[in-house]
Amino acid sequence: MNKLILSILMVFISMKNIFGQTELATIDKKNITDLKLINGETIAYSYFDDREGPAPMIKKYYVSWNNKTFGPYQDVKDLEYSLFENTLAYTAQIDDKWYIFDGTKKSEAYDSCYLLTPSNKQLMQTYNANRDGEEFLILGDKRFSSTNECKDICCSPDKKTLAYVTLTDDQCYVIAGDKKEGPYNYCSSLCFSPDGKTLAYVAAIDYEPYVIAGSDKKGPYDECGKLHFSPDGKILAYPAKIKDRYYVIAGSEKAGPYDQCEDVYFSSDGKTLAYSAKIDGKYFVIAGKQTAGPYDDCCFRGFAPDGKTLAYSAEIKGQYYVIAGDKKSGPYVYCYNLGFSPDGKTLAYVAQSTADYQLYVIAGGETPCPYEECSPFYFSPDGKTFAYTGKIYDEIYVITGNEKAGPYQACSSLSFSPDGKILAYNAEIDYVWYKKILMEGKTYTGTLCNGTVVYIDGNTIYKRESLKTEVFRGNSESAMF
């Protein structure tokens, strides 16, 4: 008898944890808008009570966490784990003003406030706020206003160091962790080397631009463009203007002169530097020792992840083409959002057809139905599918593979789980924003964080672990442009 009971219990436990899925809790609340697992342990969620009427302006919002309920609020957004107080943080609206709640602490009132960067194991979340037309940037317990400006926020690849530019007494300084460099007339284009050991940026000294990378300083230049490190971090490349002519600087080497140059990219193996350049009124794409063109216009995009295929769009006699290696697709009225899958096997892009002037998403020869508008897209980590939002008859849908979720009023922040089986996104429904996931053909309120999916089905909250360890969001220079 005992063996039978034990067997039944084991089957029950196995069913609860099938595919890494675990039942966490049962709640009696409806209208859940956001759901988080704070610090990997405690469930937090926001919800609204609209028993007084359907209109958005009379909804009452609440936050539930750690067996406590906070509210009512006019609105609630951005539930996050706060490193600053080791507690729950969120933004909420009270009497038409927005506040940041960090545990039991409540910030000053703002006209608007939203989360810029979520917290992680090393860094605190960052907020942007506005009051009476004055902009503020809030980093943990630090707040920067328009008189103490903070911009060009940059995080090191290991997430251990936050760098930014701050303005004090009309002088610019670069802050990186506990280090402060300057003063400068202005600073821009902050970027870390891939290993996180070197911070590079453009800084004006006596109103002349220089490029500063660690202890190295180059210049002065008339102008200086966006900085790019090679994958091994040994070479810093950028376009620069010197005596009214443009050059591409890469370490100790200089290519040019050109009428104009931009869009500097390294191949993933670091062996090839490519960029677009204007020569005698025509555009060319230069990759190592190879030159393609001339074109009437060119929007250079970058390399496939394997570094072997270069892709870009080019205008030829008033029509646009997509050129990838030795292949040319088109003509189109226009094309944009070129991006390779992580495995480099699929090139996808949005193109406006010359036949019906509709927008199409073209990927590996497949052309789904036309859209009125189309967002940038995001590949799954294995490259087998990708997701994007498309407008059809003035309604927004989320499309991934053969699945379509919606319609919504608006969508944002698409991201795949590490195993590529779950898509997370934000969706606006009846003027209320929800955190949503699309899983196995069904949509749920839920979120994806560090490979863990937390969602609610009926009144039950579940946790599901993804099978891999890294979340792919797209939009990396090597894969999505």
Side-chain angles (χ1 to χ4, degrees):
M1 185 66 180
N2 290 336
K3 290 183 178 180
L4 177 61
I5 294 174
L6 181 61
S7 298
I8 293 173
L9 286 173
M10 291 301 293
V11 170
F12 176 72
I13 291 170
S14 297
M15 290 178 66
K16 284 183 67 177
N17 291 278
I18 190 167
F19 303 120
Q21 180 172 292
T22 305
E23 181 179 319
L24 296 179
T26 300
I27 59 176
D28 60 357
K29 302 299 182 184
K30 296 182 179 179
N31 303 321
I32 306 298
T33 59
D34 195 357
L35 183 64
K36 287 289 194 308
L37 193 60
I38 303 300
N39 202 21
E41 298 177 355
T42 309
I43 297 170
Y45 58 89
S46 59
Y47 65 96
F48 64 86
D49 185 350
D50 61 356
R51 288 177 295 179
E52 297 183 39
M57 65 283 295
I58 60 174
K59 283 181 168 64
K60 292 184 177 181
Y61 287 81
Y62 300 86
V63 172
S64 179
W65 176 67
N66 207 18
N67 297 318
K68 296 179 181 179
T69 299
F70 305 89
Y73 307 115
Q74 289 174 271
D75 201 355
V76 172
K77 295 180 181 178
D78 304 325
L79 269 64
E80 286 290 336
Y81 171 66
S82 169
L83 279 178
F84 184 53
E85 292 291 334
N86 294 314
T87 185
L88 175 69
Y90 57 93
T91 60
Q93 189 180 31
I94 305 171
D95 296 332
D96 297 326
K97 295 293 183 180
W98 283 90
Y99 300 84
I100 301 171
F101 288 85
D102 204 332
T104 58
K105 293 185 177 181
K106 177 182 172 183
S107 74
E108 298 178 27
Y110 300 102
D111 297 326
S112 64
C113 184
Y114 60 91
L115 182 70
L116 282 177
T117 57
S119 62
N120 54 55
K121 292 182 179 180
Q122 286 82 26
L123 296 172
M124 290 172 284
Q125 60 267 34
T126 306
Y127 296 92
N128 180 273
N130 181 289
R131 182 172 59 217
D132 297 329
E134 186 176 9
E135 294 287 337
F136 297 90
L137 194 69
I138 301 164
L139 307 173
D141 60 341
K142 298 178 181 179
R143 188 181 74 174
F144 302 89
S145 69
S146 57
T147 57
N148 192 23
E149 188 180 7
C150 182
K151 61 181 183 178
D152 285 346
I153 299 174
C154 177
C155 187
S156 62
D158 60 8
K159 308 297 183 185
K160 293 182 179 180
T161 305
L162 188 71
Y164 54 91
V165 177
T166 183
L167 181 66
T168 304
D169 297 328
D170 295 326
Q171 292 290 318
C172 279
Y173 296 85
V174 173
I175 309 297
D178 56 359
K179 295 181 180 179
K180 181 178 180 180
E181 298 179 3
Y184 307 114
N185 304 118
Y186 67 82
C187 301
S188 63
S189 302
L190 273 67
C191 68
F192 279 96
S193 60
D195 61 8
K197 295 181 179 179
T198 303
L199 175 66
Y201 53 91
V202 178
I205 303 172
D206 294 330
Y207 298 97
E208 292 186 310
Y210 291 80
V211 171
I212 298 174
S215 60
D216 187 35
K217 182 176 75 172
K218 290 188 176 181
Y221 305 112
D222 300 332
E223 297 175 7
C224 191
K226 189 175 180 180
L227 311 180
H228 292 269
F229 275 101
S230 60
D232 62 6
K234 294 181 180 180
I235 300 175
L236 182 65
Y238 50 92
K241 185 178 181 182
I242 305 171
K243 296 181 180 179
D244 295 325
R245 299 287 283 169
Y246 286 87
Y247 299 83
V248 170
I249 313 296
S252 60
E253 298 183 3
K254 182 172 72 172
Y258 307 114
D259 301 330
Q260 185 179 339
C261 59
E262 53 188 15
D263 299 331
V264 176
Y265 290 95
F266 281 97
S267 60
S268 58
D269 59 10
K271 294 181 180 179
T272 306
L273 177 66
Y275 54 93
S276 61
K278 188 176 182 181
I279 305 172
D280 296 330
K282 291 291 184 179
Y283 290 87
F284 297 82
V285 172
I286 300 170
K289 297 181 179 181
Q290 297 181 344
T291 301
Y295 305 117
D296 300 325
D297 193 8
C298 177
C299 189
F300 174 60
R301 289 308 184 191
F303 289 92
D306 61 7
K308 296 179 181 180
T309 304
L310 183 66
Y312 56 94
S313 63
E315 182 185 3
I316 304 173
K317 297 181 180 180
Q319 294 182 314
Y320 280 84
Y321 297 82
V322 171
I323 299 171
D326 57 359
K327 296 180 180 179
K328 184 171 74 171
S329 302
Y332 307 112
V333 176
Y334 193 67
C335 47
Y336 60 96
N337 283 351
L338 278 68
F340 281 101
S341 59
D343 59 10
K345 295 179 179 180
T346 303
L347 174 66
Y349 55 93
V350 179
Q352 186 178 14
S353 170
T354 56
D356 59 11
Y357 294 93
Q358 296 274 11
L359 293 177
Y360 293 84
V361 173
I362 300 173
E366 296 184 8
T367 307
C369 65
Y371 303 103
E372 298 159 31
E373 295 178 6
C374 188
S375 75
F377 41 82
Y378 305 84
F379 277 98
S380 61
D382 59 11
K384 293 181 179 179
T385 188
F386 61 95
Y388 57 94
T389 64
K391 179 184 277 191
I392 305 172
Y393 298 116
D394 292 325
E395 293 183 312
I396 304 296
Y397 293 84
V398 172
I399 297 99
T400 175
N402 296 321
E403 298 180 338
K404 183 172 72 173
Y408 304 116
Q409 291 169 289
C411 293
S412 65
S413 304
L414 279 65
S415 63
F416 277 100
S417 62
D419 59 11
K421 295 181 178 180
I422 301 169
L423 179 69
Y425 56 95
N426 299 335
E428 186 182 17
I429 306 171
D430 294 332
Y431 306 100
V432 176
W433 279 96
Y434 294 82
K435 300 287 186 178
K436 291 289 185 180
I437 63 167
L438 177 58
M439 180 173 63
E440 298 172 351
K442 296 181 180 180
T443 59
Y444 305 90
T445 296
T447 54
L448 170 65
C449 183
N450 297 326
T452 299
V453 180
V454 182
Y455 68 99
I456 184 167
D457 186 4
N459 291 327
T460 305
I461 297 175
Y462 296 93
K463 179 178 74 171
R464 179 168 173 170
E465 301 290 347
S466 193
L467 299 179
K468 297 181 182 179
T469 58
E470 183 180 354
V471 176
F472 183 82
R473 289 183 175 270
N475 277 348
S476 66
E477 288 183 359
S478 62
M480 184 70 67
F481 319 112

